[in-house]
Amino acid sequence: MPDFADKVAVVTGGGRGIGRAVALLAARRGWRVCLSYVSDAGAAEAVVAAIAAEGGQAEAVRADVGDEADIGTLFAAADRLGTVAGLVNNAGVVDVAARLDAMEAPRLHRMMATNVVGSLLCAREAVRRMSTRHGGRGGGIVNLSSVAARLGGAGQYVDYAASKGAIDSFTRGLAREVAEEGIRVNAVAPGIIDTEIHASGGQPDRARALAPQIPMRRPGTAEEIAGPVVWLLSEEAAYTTGAILEVTGGR
Ligand code: NAP
Protein backbone atom coordinates (compact mmCIF):
# COMPACT_ATOMS: atom_id res chain seq x y z
CA MET A 1 0.00 0.00 0.00
CA PRO A 2 1.48 3.38 -0.95
CA ASP A 3 1.74 5.72 2.02
CA PHE A 4 -0.07 8.81 0.72
CA ALA A 5 -0.78 12.06 2.54
CA ASP A 6 -4.57 12.23 2.38
CA LYS A 7 -5.18 8.65 3.52
CA VAL A 8 -8.38 8.10 5.50
CA ALA A 9 -9.09 5.33 7.99
CA VAL A 10 -12.74 4.49 8.61
CA VAL A 11 -13.15 3.29 12.21
CA THR A 12 -16.60 1.94 13.06
CA GLY A 13 -17.64 2.48 16.66
CA GLY A 14 -14.79 4.94 17.09
CA GLY A 15 -16.32 6.98 19.90
CA ARG A 16 -15.73 4.63 22.81
CA GLY A 17 -13.61 1.72 23.98
CA ILE A 18 -11.22 0.03 21.58
CA GLY A 19 -12.47 2.07 18.60
CA ARG A 20 -11.72 5.32 20.41
CA ALA A 21 -8.16 4.20 21.17
CA VAL A 22 -7.70 3.11 17.54
CA ALA A 23 -9.00 6.45 16.22
CA LEU A 24 -6.67 8.45 18.49
CA LEU A 25 -3.58 6.36 17.66
CA ALA A 26 -4.31 6.25 13.91
CA ALA A 27 -4.57 10.05 13.87
CA ARG A 28 -1.21 10.31 15.66
CA ARG A 29 0.26 8.05 12.96
CA GLY A 30 -0.91 10.39 10.20
CA TRP A 31 -4.29 8.99 9.25
CA ARG A 32 -7.33 11.19 8.72
CA VAL A 33 -10.04 9.41 10.68
CA CYS A 34 -13.70 9.00 9.76
CA LEU A 35 -15.33 7.38 12.76
CA SER A 36 -18.87 6.15 13.25
CA TYR A 37 -21.12 6.00 16.27
CA VAL A 38 -24.67 4.84 16.76
CA SER A 39 -25.89 6.16 20.12
CA ASP A 40 -23.22 8.27 21.84
CA ALA A 41 -22.69 11.41 19.73
CA GLY A 42 -20.98 13.21 22.62
CA ALA A 43 -18.28 10.56 22.98
CA ALA A 44 -17.65 10.52 19.22
CA GLU A 45 -17.42 14.32 19.01
CA ALA A 46 -14.99 14.29 21.95
CA VAL A 47 -12.68 11.98 19.98
CA VAL A 48 -12.89 14.30 16.96
CA ALA A 49 -12.03 17.27 19.20
CA ALA A 50 -9.10 15.40 20.79
CA ILE A 51 -7.69 14.57 17.34
CA ALA A 52 -8.13 18.17 16.15
CA ALA A 53 -6.40 19.44 19.30
CA GLU A 54 -3.35 17.39 18.31
CA GLY A 55 -3.40 18.81 14.77
CA GLY A 56 -5.13 15.84 13.10
CA GLN A 57 -8.25 15.62 10.96
CA ALA A 58 -11.31 13.62 11.91
CA GLU A 59 -15.03 13.47 11.44
CA ALA A 60 -17.77 11.60 13.31
CA VAL A 61 -20.77 10.20 11.45
CA ARG A 62 -23.88 8.63 12.95
CA ALA A 63 -24.08 5.32 11.13
CA ASP A 64 -25.54 2.02 12.31
CA VAL A 65 -23.44 -0.71 10.71
CA GLY A 66 -26.57 -2.86 10.65
CA ASP A 67 -28.08 -0.43 8.12
CA GLU A 68 -26.78 -0.43 4.55
CA ALA A 69 -27.91 3.16 3.86
CA ASP A 70 -26.06 4.38 6.96
CA ILE A 71 -22.91 2.63 5.75
CA GLY A 72 -23.26 4.51 2.46
CA THR A 73 -23.48 7.78 4.40
CA LEU A 74 -20.37 6.86 6.41
CA PHE A 75 -18.24 6.10 3.36
CA ALA A 76 -19.50 9.18 1.51
CA ALA A 77 -18.22 11.27 4.43
CA ALA A 78 -14.91 9.37 4.32
CA ASP A 79 -14.59 10.13 0.58
CA ARG A 80 -15.00 13.84 1.31
CA LEU A 81 -12.23 13.64 3.94
CA GLY A 82 -9.62 12.11 1.60
CA THR A 83 -8.67 8.76 0.06
CA VAL A 84 -10.01 5.74 1.94
CA ALA A 85 -7.02 3.44 2.56
CA GLY A 86 -7.94 1.90 5.92
CA LEU A 87 -10.96 0.27 7.52
CA VAL A 88 -11.20 -0.93 11.09
CA ASN A 89 -14.33 -3.05 11.55
CA ASN A 90 -14.59 -2.42 15.27
CA ALA A 91 -18.30 -1.84 15.97
CA GLY A 92 -19.67 -4.85 17.79
CA VAL A 93 -22.19 -5.87 20.41
CA VAL A 94 -22.65 -8.54 23.06
CA ASP A 95 -25.86 -9.41 24.87
CA VAL A 96 -26.68 -10.60 28.36
CA ALA A 97 -25.30 -13.99 29.40
CA ALA A 98 -27.66 -16.80 28.41
CA ARG A 99 -27.72 -20.37 27.16
CA LEU A 100 -28.77 -20.88 23.54
CA ASP A 101 -31.98 -22.59 24.67
CA ALA A 102 -33.06 -19.26 26.21
CA MET A 103 -32.19 -17.01 23.24
CA GLU A 104 -34.89 -15.52 21.00
CA ALA A 105 -34.52 -14.89 17.27
CA PRO A 106 -34.37 -11.03 17.46
CA ARG A 107 -31.24 -11.26 19.63
CA LEU A 108 -29.56 -13.59 17.13
CA HIS A 109 -30.52 -11.41 14.15
CA ARG A 110 -29.20 -8.25 15.84
CA MET A 111 -25.94 -9.98 16.78
CA MET A 112 -25.30 -11.19 13.24
CA ALA A 113 -26.53 -7.96 11.57
CA THR A 114 -24.14 -5.81 13.61
CA ASN A 115 -21.10 -8.01 14.09
CA VAL A 116 -21.09 -9.96 10.82
CA VAL A 117 -23.22 -8.35 8.08
CA GLY A 118 -22.14 -4.85 9.15
CA SER A 119 -18.47 -5.82 8.90
CA LEU A 120 -18.99 -7.49 5.52
CA LEU A 121 -20.80 -4.46 4.11
CA CYS A 122 -18.17 -2.01 5.38
CA ALA A 123 -15.44 -4.22 3.87
CA ARG A 124 -17.35 -4.27 0.58
CA GLU A 125 -17.37 -0.47 0.51
CA ALA A 126 -13.66 -0.42 1.37
CA VAL A 127 -12.75 -2.91 -1.38
CA ARG A 128 -14.74 -0.91 -3.95
CA ARG A 129 -12.57 2.09 -3.11
CA MET A 130 -9.15 0.53 -2.40
CA SER A 131 -8.84 -2.30 -4.91
CA THR A 132 -6.53 -1.70 -7.87
CA ARG A 133 -9.14 -3.68 -9.82
CA HIS A 134 -11.50 -0.74 -9.25
CA GLY A 135 -8.84 1.92 -9.90
CA GLY A 136 -7.94 2.28 -6.20
CA ARG A 137 -4.51 2.65 -4.62
CA GLY A 138 -4.70 -0.23 -2.14
CA GLY A 139 -5.21 -0.28 1.60
CA GLY A 140 -5.70 -2.28 4.74
CA ILE A 141 -8.68 -3.75 6.57
CA VAL A 142 -8.52 -4.85 10.21
CA ASN A 143 -11.44 -6.75 11.72
CA LEU A 144 -12.07 -7.02 15.47
CA SER A 145 -12.51 -10.69 16.24
CA SER A 146 -12.37 -12.13 19.76
CA VAL A 147 -10.74 -14.98 21.61
CA ALA A 148 -14.38 -16.07 22.07
CA ALA A 149 -14.22 -17.38 18.49
CA ARG A 150 -11.80 -20.04 19.78
CA LEU A 151 -13.29 -20.54 23.27
CA GLY A 152 -16.94 -20.67 22.14
CA GLY A 153 -18.70 -18.69 24.90
CA ALA A 154 -20.50 -21.71 26.40
CA GLY A 155 -23.28 -20.79 28.84
CA GLN A 156 -22.79 -17.06 28.18
CA TYR A 157 -22.91 -16.05 24.54
CA VAL A 158 -22.40 -18.72 21.92
CA ASP A 159 -24.11 -16.29 19.53
CA TYR A 160 -21.39 -13.66 20.02
CA ALA A 161 -18.66 -16.31 19.76
CA ALA A 162 -20.20 -17.60 16.51
CA SER A 163 -20.32 -14.06 15.11
CA LYS A 164 -16.58 -13.72 15.79
CA GLY A 165 -15.93 -17.15 14.24
CA ALA A 166 -17.56 -15.75 11.12
CA ILE A 167 -15.22 -12.75 11.31
CA ASP A 168 -12.21 -15.10 11.33
CA SER A 169 -13.41 -16.99 8.22
CA PHE A 170 -14.23 -13.74 6.46
CA THR A 171 -10.77 -12.35 7.31
CA ARG A 172 -8.97 -15.35 5.82
CA GLY A 173 -11.19 -15.53 2.74
CA LEU A 174 -11.24 -11.84 1.85
CA ALA A 175 -7.48 -11.62 2.43
CA ARG A 176 -6.93 -14.19 -0.33
CA GLU A 177 -9.62 -12.68 -2.56
CA VAL A 178 -7.99 -9.25 -2.73
CA ALA A 179 -4.32 -10.06 -2.05
CA GLU A 180 -3.35 -9.25 -5.64
CA GLU A 181 -5.30 -5.99 -5.58
CA GLY A 182 -3.21 -4.06 -3.04
CA ILE A 183 -5.44 -4.79 -0.04
CA ARG A 184 -4.39 -6.60 3.12
CA VAL A 185 -7.04 -8.03 5.46
CA ASN A 186 -6.21 -9.04 9.02
CA ALA A 187 -7.92 -9.47 12.38
CA VAL A 188 -7.06 -8.76 15.97
CA ALA A 189 -8.66 -11.14 18.48
CA PRO A 190 -8.64 -9.52 21.92
CA GLY A 191 -9.05 -11.38 25.17
CA ILE A 192 -10.62 -9.57 28.13
CA ILE A 193 -10.28 -5.82 27.62
CA ASP A 194 -11.49 -3.27 30.14
CA THR A 195 -14.19 -1.36 28.22
CA GLU A 196 -17.91 -0.65 28.63
CA ILE A 197 -18.85 -3.66 26.48
CA HIS A 198 -19.06 -5.84 29.60
CA ALA A 199 -21.60 -3.49 31.21
CA SER A 200 -23.67 -3.65 28.03
CA GLY A 201 -23.74 -7.44 28.55
CA GLY A 202 -24.95 -6.94 32.12
CA GLN A 203 -21.57 -7.68 33.76
CA PRO A 204 -19.81 -4.35 34.48
CA ASP A 205 -17.16 -6.04 36.66
CA ARG A 206 -16.46 -8.88 34.21
CA ALA A 207 -13.00 -7.68 33.14
CA ARG A 208 -11.70 -7.45 36.70
CA ALA A 209 -13.54 -10.59 37.86
CA LEU A 210 -11.88 -12.71 35.17
CA ALA A 211 -8.37 -11.40 35.90
CA PRO A 212 -7.33 -14.52 37.89
CA GLN A 213 -8.00 -16.67 34.79
CA ILE A 214 -5.68 -14.58 32.60
CA PRO A 215 -2.01 -15.65 32.67
CA MET A 216 -0.95 -11.98 33.03
CA ARG A 217 -3.53 -11.67 35.87
CA ARG A 218 -5.08 -8.49 34.49
CA PRO A 219 -7.44 -7.37 31.73
CA GLY A 220 -5.96 -5.52 28.78
CA THR A 221 -6.52 -1.86 27.96
CA ALA A 222 -8.07 -0.43 24.81
CA GLU A 223 -4.68 1.11 23.99
CA GLU A 224 -3.08 -2.36 24.11
CA ILE A 225 -5.42 -3.42 21.30
CA ALA A 226 -5.09 -0.18 19.33
CA GLY A 227 -1.33 -0.66 18.93
CA PRO A 228 -1.58 -3.99 17.04
CA VAL A 229 -4.58 -2.73 15.01
CA VAL A 230 -2.79 0.40 13.79
CA TRP A 231 0.38 -1.61 13.15
CA LEU A 232 -1.58 -4.01 10.93
CA LEU A 233 -2.86 -1.00 8.95
CA SER A 234 0.68 0.31 8.51
CA GLU A 235 3.39 -0.33 5.94
CA GLU A 236 5.37 -2.17 8.63
CA ALA A 237 2.86 -5.00 8.15
CA ALA A 238 3.23 -4.93 4.33
CA TYR A 239 3.62 -8.74 4.01
CA THR A 240 0.98 -9.62 6.64
CA THR A 241 -2.43 -10.64 5.34
CA GLY A 242 -5.00 -13.20 6.45
CA ALA A 243 -3.52 -13.13 9.96
CA ILE A 244 -5.58 -13.38 13.14
CA LEU A 245 -3.49 -11.89 15.92
CA GLU A 246 -4.59 -12.92 19.43
CA VAL A 247 -3.90 -10.18 22.00
CA THR A 248 -4.98 -11.82 25.23
CA GLY A 249 -2.36 -11.55 27.96
CA GLY A 250 -1.72 -15.25 27.32
CA ARG A 251 -5.31 -16.51 27.70
P1 NAP B 1 -17.71 -0.90 23.52
O1 NAP B 1 -16.86 -0.18 24.53
O2 NAP B 1 -19.04 -1.44 23.94
O3 NAP B 1 -17.92 0.08 22.27
C1 NAP B 1 -18.65 -0.38 21.18
C2 NAP B 1 -18.61 0.66 20.09
O4 NAP B 1 -19.33 0.12 18.97
C3 NAP B 1 -19.27 1.95 20.48
O5 NAP B 1 -18.52 3.01 19.94
C4 NAP B 1 -20.65 1.87 19.82
O6 NAP B 1 -21.17 3.12 19.40
C5 NAP B 1 -20.32 1.05 18.59
N1 NAP B 1 -21.49 0.32 18.06
C6 NAP B 1 -22.26 -0.60 18.68
N2 NAP B 1 -23.24 -1.02 17.87
C7 NAP B 1 -23.08 -0.34 16.71
C8 NAP B 1 -23.78 -0.31 15.48
N3 NAP B 1 -24.85 -1.07 15.26
N4 NAP B 1 -23.32 0.52 14.51
C9 NAP B 1 -22.24 1.29 14.71
N5 NAP B 1 -21.54 1.32 15.85
C10 NAP B 1 -21.96 0.52 16.83
O7 NAP B 1 -16.93 -2.12 22.86
P2 NAP B 1 -15.36 -2.50 22.85
O8 NAP B 1 -15.09 -3.31 24.05
O9 NAP B 1 -14.56 -1.30 22.55
O10 NAP B 1 -15.34 -3.53 21.62
C11 NAP B 1 -14.93 -3.15 20.31
C12 NAP B 1 -14.79 -4.40 19.46
O11 NAP B 1 -13.85 -5.29 20.07
C13 NAP B 1 -16.09 -5.20 19.31
O12 NAP B 1 -16.17 -5.73 18.01
C14 NAP B 1 -15.92 -6.32 20.33
O13 NAP B 1 -16.67 -7.46 19.99
C15 NAP B 1 -14.43 -6.56 20.25
N6 NAP B 1 -13.89 -7.22 21.44
C16 NAP B 1 -13.94 -6.62 22.66
C17 NAP B 1 -13.44 -7.29 23.77
C18 NAP B 1 -13.46 -6.71 25.16
O14 NAP B 1 -13.18 -7.44 26.13
N7 NAP B 1 -13.77 -5.44 25.34
C19 NAP B 1 -12.91 -8.57 23.63
C20 NAP B 1 -12.87 -9.15 22.37
C21 NAP B 1 -13.37 -8.46 21.28
P3 NAP B 1 -21.80 4.19 20.46
O15 NAP B 1 -20.64 4.77 21.21
O16 NAP B 1 -22.48 5.20 19.63
O17 NAP B 1 -22.74 3.41 21.34
Side-chain angles (χ1 to χ4, degrees):
M1 178 202 347
D3 206 8
F4 36 90
D6 72 338
K7 64 184 183 195
V8 173
V10 174
V11 181
T12 64
R16 295 188 291 121
I18 292 167
R20 172 181 182 277
V22 167
L24 292 170
L25 184 60
R28 280 182 203 135
R29 298 284 155 81
W31 291 86
R32 298 180 186 177
V33 178
C34 188
L35 61 98
S36 76
Y37 64 93
V38 69
S39 65
D40 196 337
E45 291 300 344
V47 174
V48 170
I51 290 171
E54 293 187 7
Q57 290 188 56
E59 186 174 339
V61 181
R62 206 214 72 82
D64 182 342
V65 296
D67 182 311
E68 187 173 14
D70 279 8
I71 291 172
T73 303
L74 173 63
F75 278 83
D79 290 338
R80 288 192 294 276
L81 199 56
T83 303
V84 175
L87 166 66
V88 181
N89 269 321
N90 166 78
V93 291
V94 293
D95 212 321
V96 294
R99 286 169 47 97
L100 179 65
D101 51 17
M103 290 180 194
E104 304 295 339
R107 165 180 172 144
L108 302 179
H109 285 301
R110 170 178 167 265
M111 186 71 62
M112 297 302 157
T114 305
N115 293 6
V116 182
V117 180
S119 295
L120 287 161
L121 286 172
C122 287
R124 181 192 73 184
E125 292 306 309
V127 168
R128 285 177 176 173
R129 287 161 174 78
M130 297 174 185
S131 171
T132 53
R133 187 186 178 113
H134 297 297
R137 292 195 276 174
I141 297 173
V142 180
N143 298 320
L144 266 294
S145 178
S146 169
V147 71
R150 170 164 59 78
L151 299 177
Q156 297 205 319
Y157 43 61
V158 295
D159 54 343
Y160 173 80
S163 77
K164 296 301 186 178
I167 289 294
D168 288 358
S169 300
F170 150 53
T171 299
R172 293 192 186 97
L174 185 64
R176 289 171 184 149
E177 190 166 298
V178 297
E180 274 189 293
E181 300 166 25
I183 305 176
R184 296 178 302 99
V185 186
N186 293 289
V188 170
I192 302 291
I193 309 303
D194 196 4
T195 70
E196 292 168 356
I197 201 169
H198 308 291
S200 66
Q203 302 179 66
D205 290 330
R206 184 166 183 268
R208 275 172 297 279
L210 288 179
Q213 297 177 28
I214 301 167
M216 284 192 184
R217 302 284 181 262
R218 65 170 181 85
T221 65
E223 289 71 24
E224 288 171 325
I225 301 304
V229 168
V230 175
W231 174 74
L232 283 167
L233 282 183
S234 80
E235 274 300 288
E236 289 181 4
Y239 198 56
T240 305
T241 198
I244 296 165
L245 177 58
E246 291 200 353
V247 184
T248 65
R251 187 158 174 245

